[in-house]
Amino acid sequence: MSTTKTINLKNRPKGKPELSDFDFTTSEVPELKDGEILLKTTYVSVDPYLRGRMSDAESYIEPFELNEPIVSGCVAEVLESKSSNFSSGDFVTGMLEWKEKQVVNAENFRKVDPDQAPLSAYLGILGMTGLTAYFGLTDIGKPKEGETLLVSGAAGAVGTVVGQIGKILGMHVVGIAGTDEKIEMIKSEFGYDEGINYKTTENMAQAIAKACPDGVDVYYDNVGGEISEAVLFNINKFSRTVVCGAISVYNNTELPKSTSVQPFLIKKSSSMQGFVIFDYKDRHPEGIEQLADWLQKGKLHYEETIQEGFDNIPQAFLDLFEGKNKGKMLVKI
Ligand SMILES: NC(=O)c1ccc[n+]([C@@H]2O[C@H](COP(=O)([O-])OP(=O)(O)OC[C@H]3O[C@@H](n4cnc5c(N)ncnc54)[C@H](OP(=O)(O)O)[C@@H]3O)[C@@H](O)[C@H]2O)c1
């Protein structure tokens, strides 16, 4: 019988997560039963939302249990199969425990084709973050040609895709990110018209006004906090804010003192709507089809930051909070 390493949640992080919040154990891989497949993990997606599952506060998804494996989106190779749907050598995607190898019920996995797209793409542009960008912008942002789209977290997995979709739809697109290199990247590789480095800008409200001379019609918010407060001073009449993520406050230990959004929304008849990508579960195939079509036609590009090695998964996760990724952060095993 073979063994596998597993990464468990050791402590519920207080503030910023640390390596000591995770631990590694080794266990035996069980024998396969009918309907099961034995998987070897190939790529692991690390995502900001996992921070929420490490806390036991009530949320839209169950918290991780202490001393149990972390789970995230992964691509894996089928080593053995007792399912008629899969053969050894196939690649699948789905939610997997952070293990090198594991036996799972085949029903919960979808085959992916390495000849259609690189395997890593099924965790980014053709996976959860691509779909989040697509449905958040098109369904909640209700974008119109000629409008101004402002995106925070613009150089990340979701943000790079949102900006490109905005350009496909004929918008003026402005991005906010944390380094000059990222600003250069979103403009030269992803078609953003303007960019603002929030770490070197003293007055964000003024900088947004300058980059968005006609005001902001759609704000795609990946970060929340002070950046999003500055956006409020620039929203247009009937503007829409897509509340996708709030990474700037995920590690807060106290409720922040924040600006009241209501007067801004009232004055501008503006709306703000949160969402989780699971809300669109039934429409995922439609989203994948559109994203794959744009990819194939060369209208969409994607960037990845790929770290290597099973033992480096926790560090790759921590690096998201330091902005060390461009595009989708993944770990190749
Ligand atoms: N609603 C949903 O269903 C859904 C689905 C997927 C993702 N999300 C959310 O969408 C957001 C983006 O997710 P992603 O997977 O695409 O991650 P990502 O943007 O690829 O990675 C996180 C990025 O956040 C930025 N960041 C970190 N700390 C920050 C801070 N204090 N203030 C401002 N920016 C900070 C960093 O870039 P900089 O260098 O620019 O700081 C970092 O690279 C996250 O908030 C995530 O939780 C929501």
Side-chain angles (χ1 to χ4, degrees), residues 17 44 67 87 89 94 240 266:
V44 175
N67 303 313
S87 313
R240 289 81 65 200
I266 294 164

Side-chain angles (χ1 to χ4, degrees), residues 56-322:
D56 55 6
E58 199 199 334
S59 185
Y60 59 93
I61 186 164
E62 291 292 301
F64 294 126
E65 296 289 338
L66 282 179
N67 303 313
E68 292 289 331
I70 310 279
V71 175
S72 73
C74 292
V75 166
E77 182 181 355
V78 178
L79 294 183
E80 279 177 55
S81 174
K82 286 202 173 174
S83 155
S84 53
N85 295 331
F86 298 101
S87 313
S88 62
D90 284 347
F91 287 93
V92 297
T93 184
M95 299 301 283
L96 280 177
E97 295 181 343
W98 284 2
K99 291 183 169 179
E100 295 166 301
K101 280 186 249 162
Q102 59 204 289
V103 170
V104 296
N105 184 332
E107 272 178 15
N108 302 327
F109 292 85
R110 179 169 66 87
K111 212 182 280 189
V112 291
D113 184 351
D115 296 328
Q116 292 285 323
L119 288 171
S120 56
Y122 294 101
L123 296 174
I125 188 93
L126 295 176
M128 193 266 285
T129 52
L131 288 168
T132 300
Y134 175 71
F135 286 115
L137 179 62
T138 59
D139 209 57
I140 299 176
K142 300 187 171 40
K144 295 187 198 76
E145 193 176 347
E147 285 189 332
T148 296
L149 165 67
L150 177 64
V151 185
S152 58
V158 174
T160 47
V161 183
V162 173
Q164 293 179 88
I165 299 175
K167 289 313 295 178
I168 291 171
L169 301 177
M171 307 178 87
H172 177 71
V173 181
V174 177
I176 301 170
T179 65
D180 288 346
E181 195 189 340
K182 288 186 180 186
I183 297 299
E184 173 53 30
M185 176 190 80
I186 60 172
K187 291 204 281 187
S188 60
E189 287 178 40
F190 298 110
Y192 275 80
D193 297 293
E194 293 286 346
I196 303 167
N197 178 347
Y198 72 92
K199 288 194 180 152
T200 55
T201 300
E202 264 182 33
N203 187 325
M204 280 298 290
Q206 271 178 17
I208 293 165
K210 192 165 165 230
C212 306
D214 297 329
V216 175
D217 298 298
V218 180
Y219 173 43
Y220 194 106
D221 188 4
N222 283 313
V223 306
E226 287 176 16
I227 292 173
S228 301
E229 286 172 21
V231 177
L232 289 169
F233 293 90
N234 292 284
I235 55 174
N236 283 341
K237 184 98 181 159
F238 301 121
S239 54
R240 289 81 65 200
T241 292
V242 182
V243 186
C244 173
I247 191 167
S248 75
V249 300
Y250 289 170
N251 294 326
N252 281 6
T253 49
E254 289 170 17
L255 281 178
K257 287 199 179 70
S258 58
T259 306
S260 266
V261 298
Q262 290 83 355
F264 292 92
L265 301 185
I266 294 164
K267 259 193 297 192
K268 298 290 181 176
S269 307
S270 180
S271 64
M272 202 175 245
Q273 187 183 331
F275 77 107
V276 287
I277 190 54
F278 309 112
D279 299 341
Y280 291 91
K281 211 167 81 202
D282 296 343
R283 293 180 59 195
H284 284 189
E286 167 200 331
I288 297 280
E289 195 180 329
Q290 177 63 83
L291 291 163
D293 180 60
W294 281 332
L295 248 187
Q296 203 199 0
K297 292 184 173 139
K299 292 184 174 182
L300 275 188
H301 306 276
Y302 63 96
E303 176 78 28
E304 298 168 329
T305 299
I306 301 185
Q307 304 206 12
E308 302 239 345
F310 184 79
D311 294 358
N312 291 324
I313 299 172
Q315 186 61 55
F317 169 69
L318 303 188
D319 285 351
L320 289 169
F321 297 93
E322 308 296 335

